[in-house]
Amino acid sequence: VITAPESFRIKAKKTRDVFEQLIREAEKSIILTGYSVSDYFSGMLDTIITKSQQGIYVRFYVNDIEKSKEALDRMLAYQSRYLQFYEYQKNSDDKMAASHAKILTVDSNKALVSSANLSYHGLSGNVEMGFLVHSAEKAQQIEELFKNLVSMGVYIKHN
């Protein structure tokens, strides 16, 4: 999976296309992370809201909600049992530490792991690479890792 200018003509799936397809096809759950989330991603945010209103569980792990608040405001208004946000808790010993993961799991059986942020440059402008894994075992391991990080207090549920 790659984000790159059209002129590169690389034989790989486009990050944005894969991301959108996975979200559209979700039937039970969506877990995603975001270091940087911008308004460029707003169309997909609307799709995610719709999915949560259809009873699909969405867990969004964000580095800093305040920094992405402009893009996330609409989604935050729809928080519910089905749409939940978790925010990375800053490390007081290392102010530069961050939640920098860019992962999407869908229905506990597919995972997209990429270097791309949920922004214009991450999905269109930069050169970003990743891979799509069709493996229930791997997707469930990723989901379990996030549950553990929440129980350890690395991520706190946003209210």
Side-chain angles (χ1 to χ4, degrees):
V1 175
I2 191 164
T3 300
E6 293 294 328
S7 62
F8 283 29
R9 302 187 199 283
I10 295 172
K11 290 186 180 185
K13 294 180 180 181
K14 292 181 181 179
T15 306
R16 182 179 184 94
D17 293 347
V18 171
F19 195 92
E20 289 177 350
Q21 179 182 359
L22 289 171
I23 297 293
R24 278 193 313 273
E25 292 176 355
E27 295 178 351
K28 296 181 219 158
S29 65
I30 299 167
I31 292 178
L32 68 153
T33 62
Y35 172 75
S36 173
V37 183
S38 75
D39 279 337
Y40 180 76
F41 189 65
S42 64
M44 283 311 310
L45 297 180
D46 290 339
T47 303
I48 292 167
I49 290 167
T50 300
K51 288 290 188 174
S52 71
Q53 291 173 330
Q54 294 170 346
I56 294 169
Y57 290 98
V58 178
R59 305 293 177 265
F60 202 155
Y61 295 85
V62 181
N63 179 62
D64 186 336
I65 287 178
E66 273 307 307
K67 284 187 179 176
S68 297
K69 194 157 176 58
E70 190 174 318
L72 294 176
D73 256 353
R74 191 168 59 258
M75 274 185 86
L76 290 167
Y78 288 93
Q79 285 185 97
S80 67
R81 174 177 163 209
Y82 293 100
L83 177 56
Q84 297 179 1
F85 289 84
Y86 294 84
E87 185 171 21
Y88 175 72
Q89 296 304 291
K90 303 285 185 233
N91 181 339
S92 60
D93 295 334
D94 185 354
K95 303 271 189 239
M96 297 301 291
S99 172
H100 207 248
K102 289 98 171 183
I103 298 172
L104 167 66
T105 66
V106 174
D107 296 338
S108 299
N109 65 21
K110 295 177 190 166
L112 173 62
V113 181
S114 175
S115 62
N117 284 311
L118 303 175
S119 64
Y120 169 76
H121 286 101
L123 298 173
S124 294
N126 291 347
V127 173
E128 305 281 357
M129 293 182 217
F131 53 91
L132 177 61
V133 178
H134 294 267
S135 167
E137 178 185 358
K138 296 300 179 194
Q140 289 167 13
Q141 286 176 342
I142 291 167
E143 292 173 358
E144 190 62 31
L145 178 60
F146 279 104
K147 285 180 189 174
N148 289 337
L149 291 171
V150 168
S151 70
M152 293 168 53
V154 174
Y155 289 97
I156 302 291
K157 187 175 177 185
H158 183 268
N159 294 316

